[in-house]
Amino acid sequence: MIQIRKAHGLSWLLPVSRMELQVCVEAICAAIGHEGASLDLNLVDDAEIAELNSSFLGCEGPTNILSFPSADAESVKEMQKGWHMGWLALSLDTTVREAFLYQQDVTEHAIRLISHGVLHLAGYDHGEEMFDLTDKAAAGALSALATA
C-alpha cells in the first residue's frame, strides 16, 4: 500500500491528484521489480525537509527528497513482494523551484525525484545502474499516468 501524506497547512503544488500520484508510485515500484511493496510518501515544505536533513544526515538546508529505508541494502535484495520499503520525504517547495530553474515539467520532475528516492529505499546507491533504473521507473510512471 502506498500512503501519501501532506504536511498540515502545505499547499498541494502538484498538477496531479493524490490518486494519480499513487498510481505513479505504484508504477515506479513495479518498474523496478517491487510491485506490491508498500511505502510512505510524505509531502513536506522546505522547512520540514531542512529539519530532517539536519537531524538525520547532518546537512544544512533543504533538499529535494530524502529516503529512509526500512531495511539495510543487503536485506532488501532478499525481500519479497508486499514488504514495507520505508518512507520518503519530498519537498514540494524545492520540487517546484527546481522544475522552474531546470525548465522542466513539475510532474515529470516530481516523478523523477520519487523514482530516485524509491530506488534508494530498494537498496540502490548512485551510479549507472541507479540512473538507468531511474529513467525506466520514471518512464513507467509517466506511462501509467497517461492511461490513468
Side-chain angles (χ1 to χ4, degrees), residues 35-116:
E35 51 193 6
S38 67
L39 64 92
D40 297 313
L41 172 59
N42 297 308
L43 307 175
V44 300
D45 60 14
D46 274 353
E48 187 168 343
I49 207 157
E51 184 176 314
L52 291 168
N53 204 15
S54 176
S55 296
F56 290 97
L57 299 177
C59 297
E60 293 304 314
T63 189
N64 46 31
I65 193 162
L66 292 172
S67 303
F68 300 93
S70 63
D72 62 56
E74 286 307 308
S75 299
V76 167
K77 293 179 172 64
E78 306 202 9
M79 298 289 181
Q80 299 298 317
K81 293 179 181 178
W83 67 287
H84 186 76
M85 298 177 80
W87 64 281
L88 302 171
L90 175 71
S91 171
L92 293 182
D93 295 335
T94 297
T95 299
V96 170
R97 185 173 56 253
E98 286 179 350
F100 175 76
L101 289 172
Y102 305 148
Q103 298 179 348
Q104 296 176 342
D105 176 79
V106 173
T107 301
E108 288 180 26
H109 187 58
I111 288 171
R112 180 165 276 299
L113 292 173
I114 295 167
S115 297
H116 181 89

